[in-house]
Amino acid sequence: MAEPELLLDSNIRLWVILPIVFITFLVGVIRHYVSILLQSDKKLTLEQVSDSQVLIRSRILRENGKYIPKQSFLMRKFFFNNQDDGFFKKTKRKVIPPSPMTDPSMLTDMIKGNVTNVLPMLLIGGWINWTFSGFVTTKVPFPLTLRFKPMLQQGIELLTLDASWVSSASWYFLNVFGLRSMYSLILGQDNGADQSRIMQEQMSGAAMAMPADTNKAFKAEWEALELTDHQWALEGLEEELMSKDLDLDNMFSSELPTGIF
Amino acid sequence: MASLVAKREGPQFISEVAVRGNAGVLDYCRTSVSALSGATAGILGLTALYGFVFYFLASFLLSLLLILKAGRKWNKSFKSRRLLFTGGLVGGLFTYVLFWTFLYGMVHVY
């Protein structure tokens, strides 16, 4: 391959690149443990738990209603949706809308989320930019257009230097993005150091049903259940089974899951 | 890999735990392959286009091996085969570039 155009001091390698890698990685690990420590205990009342279970039960009824006889399905549907004393019609829960201001636990969650994720990245990025500035750190192996130069070469004042030679700040950001998937290797899944997952969760979390909004959830579930019809999936089963050759040996496999691995 | 379904004609019952576990295993393989291929690309001194081509080659090889491992009954462990090909490709790309840059710098620049 082509000879490198610049010869860099080995001390840069020892005292800049490796420390940045270690700093990024260790900060990620620390963030994971801090998020575990700071996890506020979610206090669930018995009522909330039973409400969510009722919703799950109704949903299962909707999805799998076609496997039980019509009578059973109607009986269950009646329990939920009856005009006067069906469960969804009868229970009204007191709803306190969980806006960030009134609900202190949500506010602290938001603050904690912001503090543990965004703030360290900005702080450390800025600090690294300040400490390790003024020299070329490394070369990225692919050619970059000139438009990337001001972004990647902050602190290096050479106009003619190839855009591939980057400063330490860009090496830091490269580390942040690259080590994200490594965290799941080392810390196991659901680790607190993976920022992208947390940001995705924050975006989709706003769309998830809030636990205090049970009335709306009940109403939605009631409507859905009203619409479900009973399609008997086992119709004509007797004729079907009788007309085929029963292959009893292969009908059931011994590989039913009993664990994860 | 965990078996997802009981062998039965008709509708399938999916165990959420198993799905997540299998996805985690795939992620693990994908990250390891990205890291190792990034390291080799850096040591070999591949630049630019060759480097990216190498990453996609390595990912494709990983997908082939996974399909081989999943065998005929891949149905039992995965919902669709496409997931074996494209799962975690971009995340792996970042890891690949990181290791590639790192070792390229170590070996060729210094």
Side-chain angles (χ1 to χ4, degrees):
Chain A
M1 289 292 137
E3 284 293 321
E5 306 104 52
L6 290 184
L7 191 58
L8 295 177
D9 196 354
S10 309
N11 281 331
I12 300 185
R13 169 185 60 189
L14 190 55
W15 294 106
V16 173
I17 293 194
L18 293 180
I20 291 185
V21 174
F22 283 133
I23 288 175
T24 322
F25 182 67
L26 292 175
V27 162
V29 171
I30 289 177
R31 212 164 359 125
H32 166 66
Y33 287 118
V34 165
S35 68
I36 288 185
L37 286 176
L38 288 183
Q39 245 176 15
S40 53
D41 286 321
K42 295 205 185 79
K43 293 197 177 54
L44 285 179
T45 61
L46 183 62
E47 193 178 274
Q48 276 181 332
V49 175
S50 80
D51 282 345
S52 52
Q53 293 291 51
V54 163
L55 285 173
I56 291 176
R57 184 178 163 207
S58 162
R59 192 190 55 167
I60 291 181
L61 176 66
R62 264 189 298 130
E63 287 170 12
N64 299 328
K66 48 194 202 274
Y67 302 123
I68 49 177
K70 193 169 184 103
Q71 183 81 15
S72 319
F73 175 76
L74 286 178
M75 183 175 80
R76 289 170 174 81
K77 185 169 164 182
F78 185 79
F79 169 73
F80 283 119
N81 278 8
N82 187 26
Q83 278 300 90
D84 301 320
D85 56 359
F87 188 79
F88 287 142
K89 288 246 142 198
K90 199 169 53 150
T91 34
K92 299 260 176 260
R93 302 268 182 239
K94 248 204 306 216
V95 170
I96 310 167
S99 85
M101 297 306 136
T102 61
D103 198 359
S105 67
M106 272 244 340
L107 184 59
T108 43
D109 271 343
M110 242 171 44
I111 292 184
K112 267 183 242 169
N114 283 339
V115 164
T116 44
N117 292 322
V118 178
L119 205 57
M121 194 169 97
L122 290 178
L123 278 180
I124 295 185
W127 175 75
I128 286 186
N129 204 9
W130 177 76
T131 6
F132 301 118
S133 66
F135 51 84
V136 169
T137 303
T138 188
K139 176 178 201 277
V140 292
F142 40 89
L144 292 168
T145 61
L146 288 173
R147 261 189 301 157
F148 285 106
K149 264 189 72 161
M151 195 166 70
L152 298 175
Q153 283 184 356
Q154 266 193 335
I156 307 171
E157 306 293 333
L158 297 172
L159 287 174
T160 57
L161 188 56
D162 204 356
S164 296
W165 296 91
V166 298
S167 70
S168 31
S170 48
W171 172 242
Y172 172 68
F173 282 113
L174 191 63
N175 264 279
V176 166
F177 287 118
L179 285 175
R180 256 194 275 140
S181 20
M182 295 286 291
Y183 289 135
S184 36
L185 265 192
I186 301 183
L187 296 171
Q189 286 187 309
D190 291 339
N191 64 78
D194 200 348
Q195 267 185 337
S196 69
R197 215 177 43 86
I198 293 177
M199 287 198 283
Q200 273 179 356
E201 268 182 21
Q202 276 182 350
M203 284 193 270
S204 68
M208 282 198 311
M210 290 286 138
D213 234 0
T214 22
N215 279 348
K216 286 220 188 77
F218 279 168
K219 186 150 196 304
E221 195 59 41
W222 175 81
E223 282 173 12
L225 197 52
E226 276 289 307
L227 293 174
T228 353
D229 210 11
H230 181 253
Q231 300 276 15
W232 184 221
L234 302 178
E235 193 137 8
L237 189 62
E238 297 96 347
E239 280 91 22
E240 223 180 280
L241 277 181
M242 286 298 119
S243 63
K244 278 201 315 196
D245 239 346
L246 286 185
D247 194 9
L248 282 171
D249 284 333
N250 282 340
M251 195 175 280
F252 298 105
S253 138
S254 55
E255 276 187 40
L256 287 179
T258 50
I260 298 184
F261 291 115
Chain B
M1 304 202 184
S3 167
L4 284 183
V5 299
K7 181 180 169 181
R8 229 183 291 190
E9 300 297 328
Q12 304 183 318
F13 299 97
I14 308 244
S15 150
E16 278 293 332
V17 180
V19 167
R20 232 166 328 142
N22 291 349
V25 168
L26 276 186
D27 196 35
Y28 187 94
C29 298
R30 176 77 57 190
T31 315
S32 317
V33 162
S34 308
L36 288 174
S37 55
T40 43
I43 294 179
L44 287 176
L46 300 176
T47 56
L49 201 58
Y50 290 126
F52 287 111
V53 164
F54 188 67
Y55 172 65
F56 287 113
L57 268 179
S59 308
F60 189 64
L61 188 62
L62 175 70
S63 316
L64 282 181
L65 287 175
L66 285 173
I67 290 190
L68 221 64
K69 171 85 178 156
R72 293 256 169 81
K73 305 277 182 58
W74 62 268
N75 225 347
K76 286 215 279 178
S77 300
F78 296 105
K79 276 198 226 173
S80 78
R81 255 196 300 208
R82 173 160 314 187
L83 191 63
L84 288 179
F85 278 100
T86 55
L89 208 57
V90 178
L93 183 65
F94 277 122
T95 315
Y96 175 80
V97 168
L98 174 69
F99 275 86
W100 184 21
T101 313
F102 185 46
L103 274 137
Y104 184 84
M106 289 292 118
V107 171
H108 290 272
V109 172
Y110 288 101

